[in-house]
Amino acid sequence: MSSDAVATQGEGNLQHTTIVRQKPLMTMPQILIMNFGFFGIQYSFGMQQTAVNPIFQKLGAEGHALPLLNLAGPITGLLIQPMIGAMSDRTWSPRWGRRKPFFLIGALGCSICLFLFPFVSAIWMAVLLLWLLDASNNTAMEPYRAFIADKLPPSQLAKGFLAQSFFTGFGITLANISLFVFQKIISGGTDAGIPYWVFGSFMLGAVCSIGSVLISVLRTPEIPPTPEELAAIQAKKAEGGGFGKAIAEIKEAIVEMPTELRKLALVYLFQWYALACYWQFVTASLAKSVWNTTDTESAAFDEAVGWTGLVNGWYNIVTFSVAFALVAFARRRGAKMVHSACLLLAAIGLVIFPHLDNKYLVFIPIIGFGIAWASIMGVPYIMAVRMIPSTRYGVYMGIINMMIVIPMLIQSLTFGTIYSSVLGDNPNNAIMFAGVFLAIAALVMQWIKEPPIVRDVDDVGAMPMAGGH
């Protein structure tokens, strides 16, 4: 039995429908299967975090050039995710669904790019493949956020988004640990200087990317739109306009963006600028502080690359270990307080991290970063879905991704100069800089007025472990 209520947001001609539906509760295994595809998508992201920048350096890139070489991520995210979000809002097929076609296409693209990546022999080839890989990743990732909001009742949204945090940690952990393991069992390298052990990690990622998404797609049906939603979709299709109409929708949604969502954008500015700094310079920082080397051709640097895989794998183990605990904390203390506390833990850890010269001790401060990463991938979305109309989940999830990639784009364009002129070309200073920016993000988070928790008739206040209705 269904009980739907319709509300509108906006004034004049700018009204958009929020439909409060009685969606069936899902069991925890169902929620995990639904989100399993995120595992493969995030394996791909893990390879970008840990392996791509060392490959750039192996091919001759200087440290100050790394931000510019990483422009692919922010630019493709800026262009593709909002567009895919708007297009998926306007899509419904009784056979293929609304969101699934997009993350299937994206996952297939990720698999192809991961397979080809270790064969690069020049920087331009690596950069081109990074652009294609990021475009595919963004095509797959954006509809997954909206898929959660489509599928789960309000009482289970926190579990859904933090299940994505769990698989984010799991996927990136496997990617990073695979680098360390394959390094121990595979020797040799290409003429371009790419070690053969890197091939194993990328090939495994190619299988995980498409395989995990297929499991989710085949096991989780989408909820058909209500008559009101279907009428809205058909009306948008009748208007036509294609990409031009999608761009117009994005512009309109930005104009109508809720005030508190605008404040979240400021948090994201500092948060994601900092994260980009960490991912780009963590390997070089470890090489300098622990192995006392800046020579990218040395065996010590190769060891630092493998150890970075373990460090990043460890913080992602922390991520999937604490992801679901954050659900309870967010319910008791509020999502705003939880996210601020997590960011502060990460800030403290990154300030300490580059001062340690023992490769085992570096695992301690990075725990805070892992806790923050779990929060970053789930907690802000718990608040965001309370701020936006249900018929615009796709476009607003794309806009939230713009709030992620614009800071990363700014970082790519500005940090090379900061790194050389202010931080003395010292990767340890780059990591501490990231810690300071995370602390600022934690403080700005307190400026947000958290919206009330939305509850419906399905809110039983407990996580169903079996059965369901």
Side-chain angles (χ1 to χ4, degrees):
M1 184 175 180
S2 160
S3 176
D4 301 344
V6 180
T8 58
Q9 295 185 7
E11 298 179 0
N13 294 325
L14 299 177
Q15 291 192 339
H16 299 278
T17 303
T18 293
I19 299 171
V20 181
R21 306 185 64 180
Q22 184 184 19
K23 301 172 186 176
L25 284 173
M26 296 183 69
T27 66
M28 199 60 210
Q30 289 172 332
I31 292 174
L32 291 174
I33 290 172
M34 175 175 65
N35 284 288
F36 187 58
F38 222 66
F39 159 72
I41 295 169
Q42 292 301 319
Y43 185 109
S44 172
F45 188 49
M47 295 305 297
Q48 290 178 242
Q49 283 183 6
T50 305
V52 168
N53 284 296
I55 286 176
F56 284 150
Q57 291 175 298
K58 287 285 187 183
L59 295 173
E62 299 292 336
H64 62 81
L66 292 181
L68 286 175
L69 293 175
N70 281 271
L71 274 173
I75 290 181
T76 56
L78 181 64
L79 297 176
I80 290 176
Q81 285 215 24
M83 189 74 66
I84 294 296
M87 290 173 64
S88 68
D89 280 343
R90 297 159 60 89
T91 299
W92 173 253
S93 165
R95 181 177 181 182
W96 301 107
R98 171 181 286 182
R99 316 292 182 184
K100 289 180 182 180
F102 297 95
F103 49 76
L104 266 175
I105 292 169
L108 181 60
C110 284
S111 293
I112 294 171
C113 292
L114 287 170
F115 179 82
L116 295 175
F117 209 104
F119 293 99
V120 298
S121 58
I123 290 179
W124 71 265
M125 296 172 66
V127 170
L128 175 61
L129 269 178
L130 181 59
W131 278 80
L132 294 174
L133 177 61
D134 258 313
S136 300
N137 230 346
N138 281 297
T139 300
M141 191 180 301
E142 195 288 330
Y144 235 120
R145 299 292 191 191
F147 186 43
I148 297 301
D150 292 340
K151 185 75 176 170
L152 292 175
S155 60
Q156 291 189 312
L157 283 174
K159 299 182 185 75
F161 286 122
L162 286 163
Q164 290 191 347
S165 292
F166 173 85
F167 281 118
T168 293
F170 188 33
I172 298 175
T173 295
L174 182 60
N176 283 286
I177 291 178
S178 73
L179 285 167
F180 180 80
V181 172
F182 285 127
Q183 185 185 45
K184 301 302 180 184
I185 61 178
I186 301 175
S187 60
T190 67
D191 292 338
I194 309 299
Y196 284 136
W197 51 266
V198 171
F199 281 61
S201 294
F202 276 100
M203 299 306 168
L204 179 59
V207 174
C208 290
S209 181
I210 190 64
S212 63
V213 168
L214 279 174
I215 290 173
S216 290
V217 166
L218 295 175
R219 296 289 300 276
T220 309
E222 294 195 62
I223 297 177
T226 64
E228 294 86 1
E229 288 176 310
L230 190 58
I233 291 170
Q234 292 171 342
K236 288 178 180 179
K237 285 184 177 179
E239 293 172 4
F243 285 107
K245 186 63 178 178
I247 292 171
E249 285 186 39
I250 294 166
K251 290 180 178 178
E252 181 183 285
I254 292 173
V255 170
E256 300 175 28
M257 187 186 300
T259 301
E260 302 310 309
L261 201 57
R262 295 178 188 273
K263 294 178 183 178
L264 185 63
L266 185 59
V267 175
Y268 274 29
L269 172 62
F270 292 100
Q271 172 181 291
W272 286 96
Y273 194 111
L275 291 172
C277 292
Y278 171 82
W279 290 322
Q280 288 167 13
F281 291 95
V282 60
T283 298
S285 176
L286 278 174
K288 182 178 178 63
S289 60
V290 177
W291 281 271
N292 196 30
T293 184
T294 57
D295 181 6
T296 60
E297 300 299 322
S298 66
F301 188 85
D302 282 349
E303 193 171 349
V305 174
W307 203 258
T308 300
L310 282 187
V311 170
N312 286 350
W314 166 244
Y315 87 66
N316 281 283
I317 289 173
V318 174
T319 293
F320 70 72
S321 298
V322 305
F324 290 110
L326 291 181
V327 176
F329 283 120
R331 180 179 294 132
R332 294 172 189 166
R333 302 295 182 185
K336 177 176 77 172
M337 292 302 299
V338 166
H339 195 54
S340 284
C342 291
L343 290 177
L344 280 175
L345 287 173
I348 294 168
L350 291 191
V351 170
I352 295 172
F353 184 85
H355 296 288
L356 301 174
D357 58 7
N358 183 304
K359 66 181 182 180
Y360 297 103
L361 289 180
V362 297
F363 290 97
I364 297 174
I366 212 66
I367 291 172
F369 193 87
I371 294 171
W373 185 232
S375 181
I376 287 165
M377 295 303 292
V379 172
Y381 295 94
I382 298 172
M383 292 191 296
V385 294
R386 304 179 203 159
M387 304 174 185
I388 56 181
S390 63
T391 52
R392 307 186 92 187
Y393 280 151
V395 67
Y396 269 111
M397 289 299 168
I399 289 171
I400 289 171
N401 191 68
M402 292 173 65
M403 292 156 47
I404 293 172
V405 299
I406 288 175
M408 297 176 76
L409 176 60
I410 294 171
Q411 191 269 353
S412 295
L413 295 174
T414 62
F415 194 70
T417 300
I418 294 171
Y419 184 68
S420 296
S421 61
V422 179
L423 302 179
D425 286 311
N426 188 333
N428 290 339
N429 291 338
I431 299 300
M432 289 190 288
F433 182 94
V436 171
F437 262 41
L438 286 175
I440 295 172
L443 293 176
V444 175
M445 190 72 190
Q446 292 302 304
W447 185 35
I448 297 175
K449 182 180 179 181
E450 184 173 348
I453 295 174
V454 177
R455 301 188 184 278
D456 63 4
V457 293
D458 289 331
D459 190 353
V460 295
M463 183 185 302
M465 298 306 294
H469 48 271

